[in-house]
Amino acid sequence: MTDPTMPHKSNGLDIQSVSIVSPEERDDAAVSPSKKYAGGIPAVLVSSQFSLTEMGVRRSAATWLHLNQKTGFDCPGCAWPDPDSHRSRFEFCENGIKAISEEATLKRVTPEFFQKYSVQELSHQSDYWLGKQGRITNPMWLAPGSSHYQPIDWNDAFKLVAAELNSLSSPNEAMFYTSGRTSNEAAFLYQLFVRQFGTNNLPDCSNMCHESSGAALSETIGVGKGTVLLDDFYHAQAIFIFGQNPGTNHPRMMTALALAQKNGCKIVAINPLPEPGLLRFEHPQQPLSIATGGTPIASLYLQVKINGDAALAIGLQKVLLELEEASPGTVINQAFIDQHTSGWQQAVTTIKSMSWQDIERLSGLKQPQIREAAEILATSERVIYCWAMGLTQHKQAVATIQQLVNIALMRGHLGKQGAGLCPVRGHSNVQGDRTMGIWEKMSGQFLDALGREFDFSPPTEHGLDTVDAIRYMHSHPNSVFIGMGGNFLSATPDTQMTAQALQQCRLTVHISTKLNRAHLITGNQALILPCLGRTERDVQASGDQFVTVEDSMSMVHASRGTLAPASPFLLSEPAIVAGIAKAVLGSRSAVNWDALIGNYDRIRDHIARVVPGFTDFNMRVKEGPFHLPNAAANLVFRTSDGKAHFTPMHVQEQPLADGELLLMTIRSHDQFNTTIYGLNDRYRGISGGRRVIFMNSADIARRGFKAGDWVDITSHFRGEVRTARQFKVVEYSIPEGCAAAYYPETNVLAALDNVADKSNTPVSKSIVITLQLASPQA
């Protein structure tokens, strides 16, 4: 059983007990009917109230007008691209305003705050409370045996990191994690330092979200990125959206979908939950849209069972084959297949071998529903296939995504305007970080170029990803963990095991803007190194600097902060990396770290010579956004045979015993990744709390429960059980046998060893659970 409190043994305080999760207490969330649309006047009101509360009137106005502008700063939230030809003066969404308000808040976490609260006391606060305390103003140190963080000078902090890293018996005993908020410049310096230190241990947040997409696409089309541009959405005849909730997770995508729909595009939504953003959109910045009730989004909505997308995708392929047999030469693009693909006949054999009975049972859909979707595919020459973590976090995630590739290849939906593959990334620069070298398995070509540029021999042995890094730290005491952004403890699976792994470390370091739970579950000693936010001016020796990011569609653009830093003691992420690198490497590195920090143009000059696609980086990015080349989008497939690959798949059923359900973890509308903006999920009708579990009415009745009951959730994996306590039952439109609840509260249920084939991504969307009535709380 998961115990939310555990001895804080790491720094010698056996008498302390720290909480590894938000308090498991009933928050008594209120439940009302879910919404039938996204956006509208409520989005305006909530955005305004949130911004004014955190920043005030003048600061809010100044910040809003610079968000996602060419001379402003990039939103630190999602990775949806900025429109270039029709960019609004108000190019932001409700959750973008929440993201910058959290960062640009006037609240401060000072050394006096840490003097007031012990680590133990802070750990018993909720994740929401921790985030609401404000920006961290000073570097802080938790000494061995200490109960409170205390201030530390930057140089002393760098020396401490150097002493601990240099005392390791091998560089491979250190883990260097990266969040998707990190800029290209900081990421490039970070991986350079790590590789000069001597390891490829560069786990990142992508390991937990779109790693499955990268694996699937690399195998099939030779590149791990999507093939479309934003402009393609305005030329598509159909858009299929699998396992994605854009109304909450990528709200600016709603504008593109609404415009596509007005252009006559048919949108097919595939999701276990009827998400309002996929039903209808009222553009909150367009009064006419609000007055007329907005734009309907999905032409067809398929409420697939959790983990039923693979069976659906095979069903779609099966119908396409049948339509082609009935009318040869009208559905399957045989000329495209013959010229550009391999593996076609084997894929056909596998598709035909799956029965309709199995497809219906595993998908939760009826054959007529699947045929209706397939007819849209068959009659549309330009189709975009979108997906997000609803596909990537299952056991067969890689193979499932490859079935979407199969469909695109069958119809020839690559290499043309208005068509292609579109994995919609989450964090604002998660794709750029990977491009810059944040990966434990970078190619030999990249490592060779890096070595030539900086005159050293990078390590060639593959490093550890997120899951394997946790395993290593758990079984190897006295490791070192450094996190560049993010909330590692709350973002990862198997919270108890992750906490134990971190507590085994000799040192844990977090480069952060705000307080989070990872700062409270520490190694023998710990550092919090506060950095500048995306919204803040970055002034170095040569003057104001800018950084760059790469969005979900491979567009690279500049980001320039405009606000004064939250504290004079903050350093930029590149400066922190350089400070650590100088202290750790000393004379072992010939890199002039000070010169690189003095002028970020010098970093970009190095990037231009190392990373493909960045020739003349400085000149191009100063002129405006530019697109990185994508060979597959031009029908050049860098695979073993130069062809795009069809992939046969045999769907593995997730067996459920009597009383078991399949749980998927989801975000609320007041949340971005592990950052909790508020306690409401307006679109799903939840207010004032987060400890809820969405269930089908038949599943509720079958267990003798009723809506409003409080239950404990227990997960089951290979005989292991993990329990999350005190969740309120909410009756909801979700397929029978399925349930949903918010993370990070339910990450305790995800077993570390339950990972996707090939990508090693945690299976957070297919967790087998049982429910028991919870004990009353005092």
Side-chain angles (χ1 to χ4, degrees), residues 91 110 150 159 167 209 257 268 275-276 385 388 412 422 441 477 529 541-542 592 613 644 656 685 748 771:
E91 190 59 49
T110 63
Q150 62 191 59
K159 290 176 182 177
S167 65
C209 55
L257 294 177
V268 180
E275 302 291 10
Y385 304 83
C422 183
K441 296 183 290 188
L529 304 180
S542 64
N592 189 337
L656 294 176
V748 298
L771 304 174

Side-chain angles (χ1 to χ4, degrees), residues 188-189 191-192 436 446 449-450 452-455 590-593 595-596 599-612 614-615 617-618:
F188 185 79
L189 288 190
Q191 63 83 30
L192 171 62
M436 292 295 110
F446 178 92
L450 186 70
R452 286 193 302 271
E453 180 68 12
F454 294 99
D455 194 24
V591 175
N592 189 337
W593 299 96
L596 296 180
N599 188 334
Y600 293 176
D601 281 356
R602 296 181 182 122
I603 304 175
R604 287 185 284 272
D605 285 340
H606 286 298
I607 293 172
R609 292 190 288 267
V610 172
V611 184
F614 283 84
T615 303
F617 188 5
N618 273 305

Side-chain angles (χ1 to χ4, degrees), residues 230-531:
L230 182 57
D231 186 67
D232 287 315
F233 279 73
Y234 312 129
H235 298 277
Q237 293 175 304
I239 300 172
F240 277 63
I241 304 173
F242 290 81
Q244 186 194 358
N245 177 17
T248 287
N249 300 336
H250 309 89
R252 286 194 299 147
M253 182 178 178
M254 299 308 307
T255 302
L257 294 177
L259 286 173
Q261 197 274 347
K262 289 178 180 179
N263 290 339
C265 177
K266 293 182 179 180
I267 298 172
V268 180
I270 300 103
N271 200 302
L273 298 175
E275 302 291 10
L278 293 170
L279 299 174
R280 179 175 288 272
F281 176 57
E282 293 183 10
H283 199 305
Q285 298 175 20
Q286 298 177 3
L288 182 61
S289 175
I290 295 173
T292 57
T295 304
I297 299 300
S299 307
L300 176 64
Y301 205 116
L302 302 177
Q303 275 191 259
V304 69
K305 289 171 67 172
I306 292 174
N307 199 30
D309 303 273
L312 166 61
I314 291 176
L316 293 172
Q317 294 173 77
K318 197 175 185 74
V319 176
L320 292 176
L321 290 174
E322 293 174 3
L323 292 173
E324 174 68 15
E325 290 175 358
S327 182
T330 62
V331 177
I332 302 301
N333 191 332
Q334 196 63 51
F336 181 95
I337 292 170
D338 292 344
Q339 182 176 355
H340 297 294
T341 75
S342 62
W344 166 240
Q345 288 302 327
Q346 185 180 2
V348 169
T349 300
T350 307
I351 294 163
K352 289 183 175 181
S353 69
M354 190 169 186
S355 70
W356 274 112
Q357 182 180 7
D358 286 343
I359 290 171
E360 289 185 326
R361 178 172 52 83
L362 295 175
S363 70
L365 301 170
K366 297 300 183 183
Q367 187 177 154
Q369 294 175 286
I370 299 174
R371 288 189 176 278
E372 184 178 359
E375 288 284 355
I376 294 174
L377 284 171
T379 55
S380 301
E381 292 302 316
R382 300 185 302 277
V383 178
I384 295 174
Y385 304 83
C386 299
W387 69 91
M389 288 190 288
L391 255 61
T392 66
Q393 293 181 328
H394 297 281
K395 180 67 174 173
Q396 287 188 290
V398 173
T400 299
I401 294 166
Q402 289 172 335
Q403 298 316 296
L404 307 191
V405 178
N406 280 3
I407 299 171
L409 298 180
M410 291 172 77
R411 295 285 295 126
H413 288 157
L414 285 178
K416 62 173 66 173
Q417 187 180 50
L421 303 165
C422 183
V424 184
R425 311 276 177 176
H427 218 155
S428 57
N429 198 41
V430 64
Q431 185 161 303
D433 289 346
R434 182 60 59 88
T435 303
M436 292 295 110
I438 301 294
W439 195 28
E440 70 280 0
K441 296 183 290 188
M442 288 303 288
S443 69
Q445 179 183 6
F446 178 92
L447 296 177
D448 288 344
L450 186 70
R452 286 193 302 271
E453 180 68 12
F454 294 99
D455 194 24
F456 81 110
S457 297
T460 56
E461 179 185 0
H462 286 174
L464 302 178
D465 63 12
T466 296
V467 167
D468 287 336
I470 295 170
R471 290 177 179 143
Y472 183 92
M473 292 186 294
H474 193 270
S475 60
H476 293 77
N478 297 315
S479 303
V480 171
F481 174 87
I482 299 179
M484 173 69 80
N487 181 353
F488 187 78
L489 175 69
S490 297
T492 48
D494 211 334
T495 312
Q496 181 166 343
M497 187 169 182
T498 301
Q500 291 170 344
L502 291 171
Q503 289 185 318
Q504 296 267 43
C505 291
R506 62 198 301 160
L507 173 68
T508 49
V509 181
H510 293 278
I511 300 168
S512 306
T513 57
K514 301 188 75 177
L515 190 64
N516 65 56
R517 193 163 299 279
H519 301 148
L520 311 175
I521 309 300
T522 71
N524 184 54
Q525 53 184 326
L527 288 169
I528 303 174
L529 304 180
C531 63

Side-chain angles (χ1 to χ4, degrees), residues 2 663 713-717 719-724 748-751 767-770:
T2 297
L663 174 80
I713 309 173
T714 298
S715 67
H716 304 266
F717 179 74
E720 303 169 359
V721 294
R722 295 163 176 80
T723 298
V748 298
L749 301 170
I767 302 174
V768 177
I769 63 165
T770 54

